Structures are given as C-alpha cells and as structure tokens.
Amino acid sequence: MRSLCVLTLCTFAATVRAFYIPSLSPQTYAPGARVPLQVNRVFSEHVPLPFAYYDLPFVCTPQEIYWPWLNIGEVLRGDRIASSDYELTMGQNTTCQVLCTKTLSRAANEEAGRLIAQDYMAEWLVDKLPSATVYLRPLDKERVKSYDPGFRIGDYDASQKRAYLNNHVTLHILYETHGTGRRIVGFEAYPRSIDNSSGKCPDLDSPETEPLLVGTNQETQVTYSYSVRWINDPSVHWAHRWDRYLSTSAQVHWYAIFNSAIIILLLSGVVAVILMRMLNRDLAIFARDVGSEEELRDDIEETSGWKLLHGDVFRAPGYGGLLAPLLGTTVQVMYTAIATVVLGTLGILSPSYRGGLLTTGIVMFMLMGSAAGYYSGHLYRTWGGKNWFKNALMTAILVPLLLVAIELVLNAFLWYRSSSAAMPFSTLVLLFVLWTFIELPLTMLGAWFGFRRQPYSEPMRTNAIPRPIPPQPKYLNWPLSILLAGSLPFSVIFIEMFYVLKSIWQDAFYYEYGFTIIIGVILAVTVCETTVIMVWLLLNSGHHKWWWRSFVYGASSSLYFFIYSLVFYYTRLRAGMPDTAGFIPALTFVLHSLLFTIVYALCTGSMGFFAAYFFIRRIYSMVKLS
C-alpha cells in the first residue's frame, strides 16, 4: 500500500514539478516604447551579505531615483529595487551608449577589488526578469540555453591576485511577437572590462583593449557604457520564459526519492514486525479466558515491558505548561509549511512574484495562529491545566520571541555592515503590528475553543504513585538515542536539502515543489515510524516518561540538518574563495541556519509526538482492565 502511494506521488510530481503561473497580466510593449531597466542588488554565492546596488561607491548613480514599493518577502531577502538611467527602447538596437564617467576614490577602488575577489554579481530587472548569465547545458544530445540569475561585476585573476571591473555590458533582450506588440521572454547580460576613462564609447571590436584594473590604492576614472540588442526568439513563449531559470536535472531528484523509498520500506517492515508479532504476542495475555480479575492482574504483574506501565503511561508530562504551547506552535509551523508548499505546487507562487514564498509563509504563519491556540489549549486541558489565557499567551509568544531574538541579534551586525539583508525599522514595526492584530487574537480565539473542548479520554487510569524507572540500556540514553533516531530521517532528505540550501544561499531559483511534496511525505512517514520504534523501545525498558522524548526523537534529525548546513558553508560557499572569511558573514550563515533548523525541528518534532501519542493510545486501548 505504501509503495502504491509513493508511486502515485512520483507520477504526480512528474506533472507538477515545473508548473507555475508566470503572471496574471503580461506586459506587451509597442515598437518604440520605453522599456524600464531597474537595478536591485549585488550578491555573492560565497558571502551571505547582499548590498543595494546604489550603495556601491563605484557605480553610476542617477540624480533622481525612484524606489518602487516592495512586499515584505522582497525586503527580507535583501531586494532594494530602484530605477536607473539605462535607456531601452523596444526594437531599437544600441551599438554603444555612455552611461557616466565616475572618479573612484581610493576607498571605492579598493572596495571594488574586494567585492570582485569575492565573486559578487549584479542583479538588474527588465519586465520582472532578472539579468542572466547564459550557460549551455546538454539535453538529449543537444545543448540548450540555461540561465543563472545575475552577472559578475568583474573578473578576478587568482594567480596574480588582480581584479578587473566590468564597466561595459551588452544586453540581449529576447522577445516574442504578440499581435502588433512584443513581449519580453529573456534578459541576457554579457559584461566586459575595458580600460576606458575618455568619457566616450570604447572601440568594442579592437583586439588591443585592456581590462580595467581595480583594487589598487589610487584614484581611478572610469567610463561606464552599454550596448543593447533586441532579438526575436520564437522558440520561447511568454508563458514559459522562466523555464531557462528553473532548468534542473530531474535524475538526482529521482535518485533521492528512490533512496528514500528504500529506507521507508525497511522501516515499515520493522514497524510491521513490532505491531504484528511482538505486540500481538504481548496482547495475547489479555485475550485469554481468565477466571477472575485477580488472575488477570497476576498475569500482568508476571509480564514485563510496556504492559507494566498501564497506570503511568498517560500521566501528565513534566512541564506540561511548556510542552503544550510548544506543540501548538509546532502545529502552526507545520500547517504553514504544508499550505505554502501546496500553493507553490498549484503554481500560485510564481517566480515572477518576487518575495512571494516569504510573504506567503509569513501570512500563513499569522493565520495559522488559530490552529496553534486550539491544539495547545486542548492538550493543556487534557493535562490538567486551568489557566487557558496564560497558555494562549505562551503559545503566541514562546517560539516567535525566540526567532525574533535571534533575528534581532543578526540584524544588528547586518546594519553595521550596511547589508541590504538587514531588516529596516519599518519592517520590524510591520511584523509587530501583524503579530499584535492578527496572530495574537487568532491564537487566543483558537485556545479558547480548544480549552472548551472535552479533554482527550485516555484508555487507562493513572495510578496515584508513579512507578520507579529502572536503569536504562545505553542505546536509550539521551545522546546516543537522539543520534540513532535522527540518522534515518536525515538520510531521506540530505540530497534534496542540497538544492534547498543552494537556492537559499547561492541565489538559485528552487521550484521543484512536486519533488518537495514527495520528499516531505516520505520524511513525515519516516519520522513517525522512527519515533514509534524509539518510544516502543523506551516503554519496553520500563520508562513511562515518553512525552518529551517523543518530541525530541521526532526533531532529532535537525541536529544533522544543522551540521550539514555548516558543512555546506565550508565546502560550497567558502571553498577556494579568497577573503571570504570573516566574523559577520560566518555569523550570518550560522544564525540563519539556526533559524531554519528550529523551524525544521518544530515540524518534525510535532510529527513524532502525535505519531507516538496515537500509537500509545491505540495499543493501550486494546488492553481491557475491569
């Protein structure tokens, strides 16, 4: 049955992995119409510190700059979109046009050399399409175009430690004809370094041109120029213009799914052995025809393992007033992730909707506050809690306060470095207003309804005196059991995790939501089955305090998640790059990775807890005591 479900999901993913809604209203330009070019930011695949384009001291800055409105997702990802003086006219090629001549101070000269050495790239926008560096990739014995967003602001000669600034760029604007108008389907940038300070266009065809050296401790005069070429490309339709940005190899994803399917089949076999053999054998004692209640109790006392814990297994957990809000928030985070991925799979989170993923995630998190309050209030009452208002307030504050505290610490350092990744004060105020007037009331409302609901009716009564816990085997001690419980779930996601981290830190577009759903479902099943096995071993060893352990076992793969993130940073981002080390870049990566790890731990921890809770309620409901 599970194999059939996985096969169905794989078939579904093959149809939705590249589906998206390109935009709601395509922009059609008439021949001769002005086409605006906007600048955004510079970023590096090796240093997690983006900067606003006009914050660079060596670029041309217009006298008047128009800053369009940005959604909250764009602000959080470091976008700072602004107008420019580049003149693009639909259908009119420009051989060469001078943008400006700028004198670079010594500090600006050195700054340009430093950013070029760290492989910084510029991102411009035309009709919502980011400028792209063109690559040719093999496909069915042919070579097809593939885009990487951005283009290098310069070239670095590592052998001679020299940086050359790209002060001329050739823009290829691809379009398709639509009636009497034209629609833009591609935006390619070909930068070039030319030693030119004449204030005029250079001779682009001359083989004697020298590159422009920067990074020296001296003033330098630079002339910036550009060329524009309009190309009619009938092979690309407007509805599929993002395909070249999203092109990835599906073979690796299928390998990850196959690897995960093997793991889940093995785990399912282990769980089946527990349920069909060991559990049925243990329950056989209760199915026997015994003479009296005393005989039944004598039989129970003669047995060992989980059966002896029937009077303690549903005892309210220690610090239940903390566990209930935590579990409520984990449900909120999990529902947010599910809703966001489903919207992405349906094509609503189009790549043209910049910042859409973050914006949708924040909005969903606020709206899911009602689910957090409901589950938290219900569990809180089940465990004997009385003050529903205090529980609701802790549910609304506990995890958001932790995440905001980490982000504020990081934000202080980003402000210090003038990075565009730093949240403006107005954004912090907006998030606080959203929390105050949306999430907090919804959490209170959900907690009120959850607390009014009848508590869970446990199948066993709790003894007045807790049963002592015997010495535990070494493999169930905290450190080793956490490492064991987290290894299998992490092995399910580590291949797909590479692409997720690449999209976050190396500014690649990730739009494999179909594969994400499959990996997510397999991960959920693996986490649930692993937690059930670990809790089963715990109960059989006589340990009845399973509540917190089930949550920790479910979240245990987050430890591997965090370690893998650090390995990715040192092997992929900083590998082979000079001058990329530094306290603030490393701190930025570590704290952001910590935030992602916390969110992942909350999702998987809730999966493990509720799977173990359902499993324990199920097996003890089979035991009938008079």
Side-chain angles (χ1 to χ4, degrees), residues 314 324 327 331 335 371 374-384 450-460 462 546-547 609-610 613-614 617:
F314 293 107
L327 288 171
V331 172
Y335 282 6
Y374 180 82
Y375 283 98
S376 175
H378 195 198
L379 288 172
Y380 180 70
R381 183 176 182 184
T382 300
W383 295 334
F451 193 80
R452 284 173 57 88
R453 184 183 171 186
Q454 289 296 320
Y456 289 114
S457 178
E458 308 297 6
M460 290 290 178
T462 301
W546 61 272
W547 303 93
F609 174 85
F610 287 108
Y613 193 19
F614 173 81
R617 284 174 56 87

Short mmCIF file of all heavy atoms in Angstrom, two decimals, residues 314 324 327 331 335 371 374-384 450-460 462 546-547 609-610 613-614 617:
data_model
loop_
_atom_site.label_atom_id
_atom_site.label_comp_id
_atom_site.label_asym_id
_atom_site.label_seq_id
_atom_site.Cartn_x
_atom_site.Cartn_y
_atom_site.Cartn_z
N PHE A 314 0.01 7.42 30.80
CA PHE A 314 -0.76 8.63 30.47
C PHE A 314 -0.70 9.68 31.59
O PHE A 314 -1.52 10.59 31.62
CB PHE A 314 -2.23 8.25 30.19
CG PHE A 314 -2.39 7.43 28.95
CD1 PHE A 314 -2.68 6.07 29.03
CD2 PHE A 314 -2.20 8.00 27.70
CE1 PHE A 314 -2.82 5.30 27.88
CE2 PHE A 314 -2.34 7.24 26.55
CZ PHE A 314 -2.64 5.89 26.64
N ALA A 324 2.74 22.05 26.00
CA ALA A 324 1.51 22.32 25.24
C ALA A 324 1.67 23.52 24.32
O ALA A 324 1.34 23.44 23.12
CB ALA A 324 0.34 22.52 26.21
N LEU A 327 3.98 22.49 21.42
CA LEU A 327 3.33 21.63 20.43
C LEU A 327 2.32 22.41 19.60
O LEU A 327 2.16 22.15 18.39
CB LEU A 327 2.65 20.45 21.14
CG LEU A 327 3.59 19.39 21.72
CD1 LEU A 327 2.83 18.41 22.59
CD2 LEU A 327 4.30 18.65 20.59
N VAL A 331 2.48 22.74 15.44
CA VAL A 331 1.38 22.51 14.51
C VAL A 331 1.21 23.73 13.60
O VAL A 331 0.98 23.59 12.39
CB VAL A 331 0.08 22.22 15.28
CG1 VAL A 331 -1.10 22.16 14.33
CG2 VAL A 331 0.21 20.90 16.04
N TYR A 335 1.57 23.39 9.60
CA TYR A 335 0.48 23.78 8.72
C TYR A 335 0.93 24.89 7.76
O TYR A 335 0.52 24.92 6.59
CB TYR A 335 -0.72 24.25 9.54
CG TYR A 335 -1.55 23.14 10.15
CD1 TYR A 335 -1.15 21.82 10.05
CD2 TYR A 335 -2.74 23.41 10.82
CE1 TYR A 335 -1.91 20.81 10.60
CE2 TYR A 335 -3.51 22.40 11.38
CZ TYR A 335 -3.07 21.09 11.27
OH TYR A 335 -3.83 20.08 11.81
N ALA A 371 -4.85 27.58 14.76
CA ALA A 371 -4.55 26.15 14.94
C ALA A 371 -3.61 25.94 16.11
O ALA A 371 -3.76 25.00 16.91
CB ALA A 371 -3.94 25.57 13.66
N TYR A 374 -5.61 26.32 19.32
CA TYR A 374 -6.57 25.23 19.50
C TYR A 374 -5.88 23.97 20.04
O TYR A 374 -6.31 23.39 21.06
CB TYR A 374 -7.27 24.92 18.19
CG TYR A 374 -8.28 23.80 18.29
CD1 TYR A 374 -9.56 24.04 18.75
CD2 TYR A 374 -7.93 22.51 17.92
CE1 TYR A 374 -10.48 23.02 18.85
CE2 TYR A 374 -8.85 21.47 18.01
CZ TYR A 374 -10.13 21.73 18.48
OH TYR A 374 -11.03 20.71 18.58
N TYR A 375 -4.83 23.52 19.37
CA TYR A 375 -4.15 22.30 19.80
C TYR A 375 -3.49 22.50 21.16
O TYR A 375 -3.49 21.59 22.01
CB TYR A 375 -3.12 21.87 18.76
CG TYR A 375 -3.72 21.20 17.55
CD1 TYR A 375 -3.97 21.92 16.39
CD2 TYR A 375 -4.06 19.85 17.59
CE1 TYR A 375 -4.53 21.31 15.28
CE2 TYR A 375 -4.62 19.23 16.48
CZ TYR A 375 -4.86 19.97 15.34
OH TYR A 375 -5.42 19.36 14.24
N SER A 376 -2.90 23.67 21.36
CA SER A 376 -2.26 23.93 22.65
C SER A 376 -3.28 23.93 23.78
O SER A 376 -3.05 23.32 24.84
CB SER A 376 -1.52 25.26 22.60
OG SER A 376 -0.98 25.58 23.85
N GLY A 377 -4.42 24.61 23.59
CA GLY A 377 -5.45 24.66 24.62
C GLY A 377 -6.04 23.30 24.94
O GLY A 377 -6.31 22.98 26.11
N HIS A 378 -6.24 22.48 23.90
CA HIS A 378 -6.82 21.15 24.12
C HIS A 378 -5.87 20.25 24.90
O HIS A 378 -6.27 19.57 25.86
CB HIS A 378 -7.17 20.53 22.77
CG HIS A 378 -8.07 19.35 22.90
ND1 HIS A 378 -8.23 18.42 21.90
CD2 HIS A 378 -8.85 18.93 23.92
CE1 HIS A 378 -9.07 17.48 22.29
NE2 HIS A 378 -9.47 17.76 23.52
N LEU A 379 -4.58 20.24 24.51
CA LEU A 379 -3.61 19.43 25.24
C LEU A 379 -3.42 19.95 26.66
O LEU A 379 -3.28 19.17 27.61
CB LEU A 379 -2.27 19.43 24.49
CG LEU A 379 -2.21 18.63 23.19
CD1 LEU A 379 -0.90 18.88 22.46
CD2 LEU A 379 -2.38 17.13 23.46
N TYR A 380 -3.43 21.27 26.80
CA TYR A 380 -3.24 21.88 28.12
C TYR A 380 -4.35 21.45 29.07
O TYR A 380 -4.09 21.12 30.24
CB TYR A 380 -3.21 23.40 27.96
CG TYR A 380 -3.02 24.17 29.24
CD1 TYR A 380 -1.81 24.16 29.90
CD2 TYR A 380 -4.06 24.93 29.77
CE1 TYR A 380 -1.61 24.88 31.07
CE2 TYR A 380 -3.89 25.65 30.93
CZ TYR A 380 -2.66 25.63 31.58
OH TYR A 380 -2.49 26.34 32.74
N ARG A 381 -5.58 21.41 28.59
CA ARG A 381 -6.68 20.97 29.45
C ARG A 381 -6.59 19.47 29.72
O ARG A 381 -6.90 19.02 30.83
CB ARG A 381 -8.01 21.31 28.81
CG ARG A 381 -9.19 20.95 29.72
CD ARG A 381 -10.51 21.34 29.17
NE ARG A 381 -11.58 21.01 30.11
CZ ARG A 381 -12.86 21.17 29.87
NH1 ARG A 381 -13.26 21.70 28.73
NH2 ARG A 381 -13.76 20.83 30.78
N THR A 382 -6.20 18.70 28.72
CA THR A 382 -6.07 17.25 28.92
C THR A 382 -5.08 16.94 30.03
O THR A 382 -5.25 15.99 30.81
CB THR A 382 -5.63 16.58 27.61
OG1 THR A 382 -6.60 16.83 26.59
CG2 THR A 382 -5.47 15.07 27.79
N TRP A 383 -4.03 17.75 30.14
CA TRP A 383 -3.00 17.51 31.15
C TRP A 383 -3.31 18.23 32.47
O TRP A 383 -2.44 18.35 33.32
CB TRP A 383 -1.65 17.96 30.63
CG TRP A 383 -1.21 17.13 29.46
CD1 TRP A 383 -1.57 15.86 29.18
CD2 TRP A 383 -0.32 17.53 28.41
NE1 TRP A 383 -0.97 15.42 28.02
CE2 TRP A 383 -0.20 16.43 27.52
CE3 TRP A 383 0.38 18.70 28.11
CZ2 TRP A 383 0.59 16.47 26.39
CZ3 TRP A 383 1.18 18.74 26.98
CH2 TRP A 383 1.28 17.65 26.13
N GLY A 384 -4.54 18.70 32.62
CA GLY A 384 -4.96 19.26 33.90
C GLY A 384 -4.71 20.73 34.07
O GLY A 384 -4.79 21.25 35.19
N GLY A 450 -10.22 25.47 21.98
CA GLY A 450 -9.56 24.22 22.34
C GLY A 450 -9.71 23.89 23.80
O GLY A 450 -9.87 22.71 24.17
N PHE A 451 -9.69 24.90 24.67
CA PHE A 451 -9.82 24.66 26.11
C PHE A 451 -11.25 24.27 26.48
O PHE A 451 -11.46 23.52 27.43
CB PHE A 451 -9.40 25.91 26.88
CG PHE A 451 -9.22 25.68 28.34
CD1 PHE A 451 -8.06 25.11 28.83
CD2 PHE A 451 -10.21 26.04 29.24
CE1 PHE A 451 -7.89 24.89 30.20
CE2 PHE A 451 -10.05 25.82 30.61
CZ PHE A 451 -8.88 25.24 31.07
N ARG A 452 -12.23 24.78 25.72
CA ARG A 452 -13.62 24.44 26.00
C ARG A 452 -13.96 23.01 25.57
O ARG A 452 -14.93 22.45 26.06
CB ARG A 452 -14.55 25.42 25.27
CG ARG A 452 -14.63 26.79 25.93
CD ARG A 452 -15.42 27.73 25.05
NE ARG A 452 -16.75 27.22 24.77
CZ ARG A 452 -17.83 27.43 25.55
NH1 ARG A 452 -17.69 28.13 26.67
NH2 ARG A 452 -19.00 26.95 25.20
N ARG A 453 -13.19 22.45 24.68
CA ARG A 453 -13.45 21.09 24.22
C ARG A 453 -13.12 20.10 25.33
O ARG A 453 -12.22 20.32 26.15
CB ARG A 453 -12.60 20.78 22.99
CG ARG A 453 -12.88 19.42 22.38
CD ARG A 453 -11.96 19.16 21.21
NE ARG A 453 -12.05 17.78 20.76
CZ ARG A 453 -11.27 17.24 19.82
NH1 ARG A 453 -10.32 17.98 19.26
NH2 ARG A 453 -11.43 15.99 19.46
N GLN A 454 -13.86 19.00 25.35
CA GLN A 454 -13.61 17.97 26.34
C GLN A 454 -12.20 17.40 26.17
O GLN A 454 -11.74 17.18 25.05
CB GLN A 454 -14.63 16.84 26.20
CG GLN A 454 -16.02 17.22 26.66
CD GLN A 454 -16.06 17.54 28.15
OE1 GLN A 454 -15.42 16.88 28.96
NE2 GLN A 454 -16.84 18.57 28.50
N PRO A 455 -11.48 17.18 27.27
CA PRO A 455 -10.13 16.65 27.15
C PRO A 455 -10.13 15.25 26.55
O PRO A 455 -11.16 14.56 26.54
CB PRO A 455 -9.61 16.64 28.59
CG PRO A 455 -10.84 16.64 29.44
CD PRO A 455 -11.88 17.40 28.67
N TYR A 456 -8.96 14.86 26.04
CA TYR A 456 -8.83 13.51 25.49
C TYR A 456 -9.16 12.48 26.57
O TYR A 456 -8.72 12.60 27.72
CB TYR A 456 -7.41 13.28 24.98
CG TYR A 456 -7.07 14.03 23.73
CD1 TYR A 456 -6.09 15.04 23.75
CD2 TYR A 456 -7.69 13.75 22.53
CE1 TYR A 456 -5.76 15.74 22.61
CE2 TYR A 456 -7.36 14.44 21.37
CZ TYR A 456 -6.40 15.44 21.43
OH TYR A 456 -6.08 16.13 20.29
N SER A 457 -9.94 11.48 26.20
CA SER A 457 -10.29 10.40 27.12
C SER A 457 -9.25 9.28 26.97
O SER A 457 -9.26 8.54 25.98
CB SER A 457 -11.70 9.87 26.81
OG SER A 457 -12.03 8.80 27.66
N GLU A 458 -8.37 9.21 27.93
CA GLU A 458 -7.29 8.23 27.85
C GLU A 458 -7.84 6.84 28.15
O GLU A 458 -8.72 6.68 29.00
CB GLU A 458 -6.18 8.57 28.83
CG GLU A 458 -5.67 10.01 28.73
CD GLU A 458 -5.04 10.33 27.37
OE1 GLU A 458 -5.09 9.47 26.47
OE2 GLU A 458 -4.50 11.43 27.21
N PRO A 459 -7.31 5.79 27.51
CA PRO A 459 -7.84 4.43 27.71
C PRO A 459 -7.47 3.82 29.04
O PRO A 459 -8.04 2.80 29.42
CB PRO A 459 -7.21 3.65 26.55
CG PRO A 459 -6.00 4.41 26.17
CD PRO A 459 -6.32 5.84 26.42
N MET A 460 -6.54 4.41 29.77
CA MET A 460 -6.11 3.85 31.05
C MET A 460 -6.16 4.92 32.14
O MET A 460 -5.87 6.08 31.88
CB MET A 460 -4.67 3.29 30.95
CG MET A 460 -4.56 2.05 30.11
SD MET A 460 -5.32 0.64 30.92
CE MET A 460 -5.07 -0.61 29.67
N THR A 462 -4.70 6.57 35.62
CA THR A 462 -3.34 6.80 36.12
C THR A 462 -3.26 6.46 37.60
O THR A 462 -4.13 6.86 38.39
CB THR A 462 -2.93 8.27 35.90
OG1 THR A 462 -3.01 8.57 34.50
CG2 THR A 462 -1.52 8.52 36.39
N TRP A 546 7.51 9.42 28.35
CA TRP A 546 7.77 9.42 26.92
C TRP A 546 7.36 10.72 26.24
O TRP A 546 7.70 10.93 25.06
CB TRP A 546 7.00 8.27 26.26
CG TRP A 546 5.51 8.39 26.43
CD1 TRP A 546 4.77 7.92 27.47
CD2 TRP A 546 4.60 9.07 25.57
NE1 TRP A 546 3.45 8.24 27.32
CE2 TRP A 546 3.31 8.96 26.15
CE3 TRP A 546 4.73 9.76 24.36
CZ2 TRP A 546 2.18 9.51 25.56
CZ3 TRP A 546 3.61 10.31 23.77
CH2 TRP A 546 2.34 10.18 24.37
N TRP A 547 6.65 11.61 26.87
CA TRP A 547 6.08 12.79 26.19
C TRP A 547 7.16 13.65 25.54
O TRP A 547 7.13 13.90 24.33
CB TRP A 547 5.26 13.63 27.17
CG TRP A 547 4.16 12.92 27.88
CD1 TRP A 547 4.22 12.29 29.09
CD2 TRP A 547 2.81 12.76 27.42
NE1 TRP A 547 2.99 11.77 29.43
CE2 TRP A 547 2.11 12.04 28.41
CE3 TRP A 547 2.11 13.15 26.28
CZ2 TRP A 547 0.77 11.71 28.29
CZ3 TRP A 547 0.77 12.84 26.16
CH2 TRP A 547 0.12 12.12 27.15
N PHE A 609 5.73 13.46 17.93
CA PHE A 609 4.91 13.44 19.14
C PHE A 609 3.53 12.87 18.86
O PHE A 609 3.06 11.96 19.56
CB PHE A 609 4.79 14.85 19.71
CG PHE A 609 3.85 14.94 20.88
CD1 PHE A 609 4.29 14.67 22.16
CD2 PHE A 609 2.51 15.26 20.69
CE1 PHE A 609 3.42 14.74 23.24
CE2 PHE A 609 1.64 15.33 21.76
CZ PHE A 609 2.09 15.06 23.04
N PHE A 610 2.85 13.39 17.86
CA PHE A 610 1.48 12.95 17.61
C PHE A 610 1.44 11.51 17.09
O PHE A 610 0.47 10.78 17.35
CB PHE A 610 0.78 13.90 16.64
CG PHE A 610 0.43 15.22 17.25
CD1 PHE A 610 1.12 16.37 16.92
CD2 PHE A 610 -0.58 15.32 18.19
CE1 PHE A 610 0.82 17.59 17.50
CE2 PHE A 610 -0.91 16.53 18.78
CZ PHE A 610 -0.20 17.67 18.44
N TYR A 613 1.83 9.51 20.26
CA TYR A 613 0.61 9.63 21.06
C TYR A 613 -0.48 8.73 20.51
O TYR A 613 -1.16 7.99 21.24
CB TYR A 613 0.17 11.09 21.07
CG TYR A 613 -0.88 11.42 22.11
CD1 TYR A 613 -1.12 10.60 23.21
CD2 TYR A 613 -1.66 12.57 21.99
CE1 TYR A 613 -2.07 10.91 24.17
CE2 TYR A 613 -2.61 12.89 22.94
CZ TYR A 613 -2.82 12.05 24.02
OH TYR A 613 -3.77 12.37 24.96
N PHE A 614 -0.66 8.76 19.19
CA PHE A 614 -1.67 7.90 18.56
C PHE A 614 -1.33 6.44 18.77
O PHE A 614 -2.20 5.61 19.07
CB PHE A 614 -1.76 8.23 17.08
CG PHE A 614 -2.66 7.30 16.31
CD1 PHE A 614 -4.03 7.48 16.31
CD2 PHE A 614 -2.13 6.24 15.58
CE1 PHE A 614 -4.87 6.61 15.61
CE2 PHE A 614 -2.95 5.37 14.87
CZ PHE A 614 -4.32 5.57 14.89
N ARG A 617 -1.96 5.42 22.52
CA ARG A 617 -3.39 5.34 22.78
C ARG A 617 -3.99 4.10 22.13
O ARG A 617 -4.88 3.45 22.68
CB ARG A 617 -4.09 6.60 22.27
CG ARG A 617 -3.89 7.83 23.14
CD ARG A 617 -4.48 9.06 22.47
NE ARG A 617 -5.89 8.86 22.16
CZ ARG A 617 -6.89 9.11 23.00
NH1 ARG A 617 -6.64 9.56 24.22
NH2 ARG A 617 -8.15 8.92 22.63
#
